[in-house]
Amino acid sequence: MLQALLKPIKNILQRRPILAILEVTLRCNSACGYCDLPLNHGRYEMSRKEIFRVFSHLYEEGLRVVFVQGGEPLLRKDLPDILDDLSSLGFTISLITNGTKLTAALLSRLARQSISLSISLDTLNRKRYHQIRGADQLALVLKGIDLLKEYPHPKYLTCIVSEVNRDDVLDVIHFARKHDMIPVLGAYHWDVSRYGKLDLTLQYQKATASAVFQEVLKKNIVPKGYFRDYLKDNIRWLNDQQLPTCDAGRYSIAIDASGNVAPCLALPHTGNLLSSTLSEILDTLDHTTIRQCSDRSSCNMLCSRVVGSNLRHPLSAFQTPTVLPQPTSEFTHAH
């Protein structure tokens, strides 16, 4: 028990991973204009048994947090079983989904584990949703969010700002708050290696997008703590200011459905956990390339900065809520 507690602390001190992003499936039912991940290519997906074996070893290596995503993770029929397995190993889990496949039965099962949910929603306008996501699925997402009313664990709503939805952002944030979800706001980045795809219909002028973030910050409608810090980081990036080095390959790694490991979702794979140990793979990471990517972008992937940001700002980390704070004078609800 003591070793289980000390190992992640040792990893933090040695700048080794404690967080993994798991692309549990390579399939997706959306075609987002800002996503360039290699999906729907029919590549091999690890079995439930293989995922359990891989993450058993990762737990022994000191990893304690898993962000489960895809593709669209809920397209994988054995996902509830996989999440049960990860919970049984002792991992803290966040499930990142587009919200189109949520059901009452699934949420009832997830509620039995301490699983956080993050729903992606960029606009409440059906036409613009279709334009951004490449699929006419807004009604499904809204239906899924309605089912979250009694969900007992942390709930987040992530909105990525692009040229198409920049006038919708305040409405989305107020919608999140109305549904007791913590709003998370990120910027569309089209220059992040294999992750950020250039879509001219989504591309904005940085000053225009920065004004959106500044208005949100001014209205105090994003809670204190890490997510407000992330808001400020996006403003810094949009104003061409330097940001601290991200955690990719240090405190966090990305694992695709085939078991391939990369420093983060944006960078190339360097090994496979079905045939190599994590330590062997970490020894092959190109930290110069990681630093160059970090210097270019704040990135809209929270995973690659969250650990280091919280370590650098412990007071802010302490202030970060896991449930939406009740309305106080701090928050302005008027549009």
Side-chain angles (χ1 to χ4, degrees):
M1 179 63 72
L2 181 60
Q3 178 65 18
L5 293 173
L6 292 179
K7 184 61 177 176
I9 295 175
K10 183 178 179 181
N11 278 19
I12 289 173
L13 295 175
Q14 295 180 340
R15 294 188 174 183
R16 289 176 60 87
I18 63 169
L19 182 154
I21 308 99
L22 172 61
E23 296 172 278
V24 72
T25 181
L26 301 168
R27 291 166 284 140
C28 193
N29 60 347
S30 296
C32 301
Y34 48 65
C35 178
D36 205 23
L37 291 177
L39 305 173
N40 301 316
H41 290 181
R43 292 183 290 130
Y44 178 73
E45 293 183 357
M46 290 186 289
S47 68
R48 174 189 175 188
K49 185 176 181 179
E50 287 173 323
I51 291 173
F52 183 82
R53 174 166 59 86
V54 163
F55 276 85
S56 295
H57 292 310
L58 293 180
Y59 190 87
E60 293 174 358
E61 290 278 355
L63 277 80
R64 292 295 183 269
V65 181
V66 186
F67 290 175
V68 179
Q69 60 177 65
E72 171 45 49
L74 295 182
L75 290 178
R76 183 154 179 163
K77 294 182 179 180
D78 60 353
L79 180 69
D81 297 321
I82 292 170
L83 295 175
D84 284 346
D85 290 343
L86 294 174
S87 293
S88 73
L89 290 170
F91 284 100
T92 298
I93 303 169
S94 290
L95 176 62
I96 301 166
T97 170
N98 62 24
T100 60
K101 306 289 286 185
L102 295 174
T103 66
L106 173 65
L107 291 172
S108 178
R109 181 166 177 180
L110 297 183
R112 295 197 289 268
Q113 309 287 356
S114 295
I115 297 176
S116 302
L117 284 175
S118 178
I119 313 297
S120 301
L121 181 62
D122 303 323
T123 178
L124 298 172
N125 179 279
R126 179 179 176 182
K127 181 179 179 180
R128 289 192 287 275
Y129 182 96
H130 193 174
Q131 181 179 353
I132 295 169
R133 295 278 171 170
D136 184 11
Q137 296 175 321
L138 177 60
L140 293 175
V141 181
L142 298 181
K143 182 179 178 181
I145 290 174
D146 282 341
L147 296 173
L148 293 175
K149 184 176 181 180
E150 303 299 328
Y151 191 73
H153 306 303
K155 299 174 289 188
Y156 306 97
L157 192 148
T158 300
C159 175
I160 302 302
V161 179
S162 70
E163 181 62 22
V164 171
N165 73 323
R166 58 185 174 86
D167 292 331
D168 300 335
V169 169
L170 290 178
D171 286 338
V172 172
I173 292 176
H174 287 293
F175 173 85
R177 295 183 59 83
K178 179 181 177 181
H179 288 80
D180 296 320
M181 303 176 75
I182 295 177
V184 183
L185 196 64
Y188 165 46
H189 295 262
W190 53 86
D191 60 348
V192 188
S193 189
R194 69 183 183 96
Y195 183 81
K197 178 171 63 178
L198 174 59
D199 184 321
L200 295 179
T201 65
L202 301 181
Q203 192 176 24
Y204 49 72
Q205 295 294 322
K206 284 188 175 182
T208 303
S210 179
V212 175
F213 283 83
Q214 290 173 22
E215 183 176 9
V216 171
L217 187 63
K218 181 179 179 180
K219 287 181 176 292
N220 284 331
I221 50 178
V222 171
K224 289 181 179 179
Y226 176 75
F227 296 114
R228 195 177 296 182
D229 291 342
Y230 181 64
L231 188 71
K232 294 175 182 177
D233 274 351
N234 276 279
I235 293 173
R236 293 187 185 100
W237 179 81
L238 289 164
N239 286 280
D240 295 319
Q241 297 174 11
Q242 188 68 40
L243 295 173
T245 304
C246 80
D247 309 324
R250 297 190 304 168
Y251 299 126
S252 65
I253 54 171
I255 306 167
D256 78 359
S258 304
N260 297 312
V261 176
C264 75
L265 293 171
L267 295 172
H269 300 121
T270 59
N272 188 289
L273 289 167
L274 294 177
S275 56
S276 302
T277 67
L278 177 61
S279 293
E280 291 170 341
I281 294 171
L282 292 177
D283 286 341
T284 68
L285 296 184
D286 183 351
H287 289 281
T288 299
T289 299
I290 296 170
R291 180 58 185 264
Q292 289 171 346
C293 180
S294 172
D295 289 345
R296 285 199 310 272
S297 174
S298 72
C299 204
N300 59 18
M301 293 178 288
L302 291 165
C303 49
S304 297
R305 290 184 181 271
V306 61
V307 178
S309 295
N310 284 323
L311 290 174
R312 285 189 294 270
H313 305 287
L315 178 59
S316 182
F318 178 76
Q319 292 177 326
T320 303
T322 55
V323 296
L324 187 70
Q326 292 300 308
T328 67
S329 59
E330 176 190 356
F331 298 106
T332 303
H333 291 278
H335 283 56

